[in-house]
Amino acid sequence: MFLVKCPWCGWREQTEFSYGGEAHIARPTGTDQISDQEWGDYIYSRKNTKGVHAERWVHTQGCGRWFNAVRHTVTDVMWDSYKMGEDAPNPPKDWDGLSSRDELEPSEGK
């Protein structure tokens, strides 16, 4: 189990949340015009990143809101979370995935 940071409720155990997949996947426009291959890529193709990854989460056992988060997929440490429509917080290039933004930048973390 790991900790997830809800932008509204703060840090909570991962069991309070449901994972919603990769963040920032744009639905294709003109879906009646795209090929089956393009539609299949939109539905099924994801990055499966090892390391820093932007994800969607919902606080199912809390406020019920959807949000995005940046998490290290090897360590399961979340860098930070952000509301839908906001820019993703970028961890430092040398981030090892062992500490959250709040731990490394306590005055800047939300």
Side-chain angles (χ1 to χ4, degrees):
M1 181 175 4
F2 57 91
L3 296 177
V4 174
K5 182 181 179 185
C6 173
W8 294 275
C9 305
W11 291 100
R12 303 286 193 270
E13 291 184 356
Q14 173 255 335
T15 55
E16 289 189 22
F17 299 85
S18 293
Y19 177 73
E22 186 177 332
H24 311 292
I25 304 293
R27 184 182 177 96
T29 58
T31 55
D32 56 339
Q33 307 278 329
I34 65 172
S35 70
D36 289 344
Q37 176 67 42
E38 292 170 313
W39 189 247
D41 286 345
Y42 162 70
I43 293 174
Y44 299 110
S45 297
R46 297 295 180 259
K47 292 179 185 173
N48 195 23
T49 304
K50 180 179 180 181
V52 179
H53 187 60
E55 306 169 328
R56 296 181 312 160
W57 288 84
V58 62
H59 196 173
T60 50
Q61 302 299 313
C63 65
R65 295 180 182 174
W66 282 91
F67 60 93
N68 293 325
V70 175
R71 182 177 64 91
H72 198 288
T73 60
V74 175
T75 63
D76 280 336
V77 171
M78 200 165 271
W79 173 251
D80 206 353
S81 62
Y82 52 107
K83 297 174 184 174
M84 296 287 191
E86 292 181 345
D87 292 332
N90 294 315
K93 295 214 183 284
D94 62 345
W95 181 50
D96 57 9
L98 297 176
S99 302
S100 70
R101 182 179 189 176
D102 290 351
E103 294 169 319
L104 294 177
E105 304 171 359
S107 61
E108 295 177 32
K110 296 177 185 173

